[in-house]
Amino acid sequence: MANVIIKNESRREDVEYIAKKYGIDTKDPAMREAAEIAAARTNEAVRMAGNRRKYF
């Protein structure tokens, strides 16, 4: 069975934001995938930072 990612509107918005911010051409499949990965990892890092205890 293949791994399939069903993209919702927020994922598309994140990819478009990353592509616009870094000047990525979304017509190129490799660059579009790079923007998708960057957006996913950024969101993952933000979620993980929210779960951390703060000592201040």
Side-chain angles (χ1 to χ4, degrees):
M1 180 166 199
N3 294 332
V4 177
I5 298 173
I6 300 173
K7 298 177 187 169
N8 57 15
E9 191 60 33
S10 66
R11 285 181 70 102
R12 284 190 186 106
E13 289 173 358
D14 292 343
V15 170
E16 288 300 318
Y17 177 78
I18 294 289
K20 182 179 176 185
K21 198 72 164 167
Y22 292 104
I24 295 172
D25 180 21
T26 56
K27 292 178 178 70
D28 182 13
M31 294 306 289
R32 183 175 56 241
E33 184 175 354
E36 290 172 0
I37 291 169
R41 295 300 171 254
T42 301
N43 287 335
E44 181 180 315
V46 168
R47 271 196 319 272
M48 293 300 290
N51 295 334
R52 223 176 14 178
R53 290 184 65 173
K54 297 177 182 167
Y55 298 101
F56 57 88

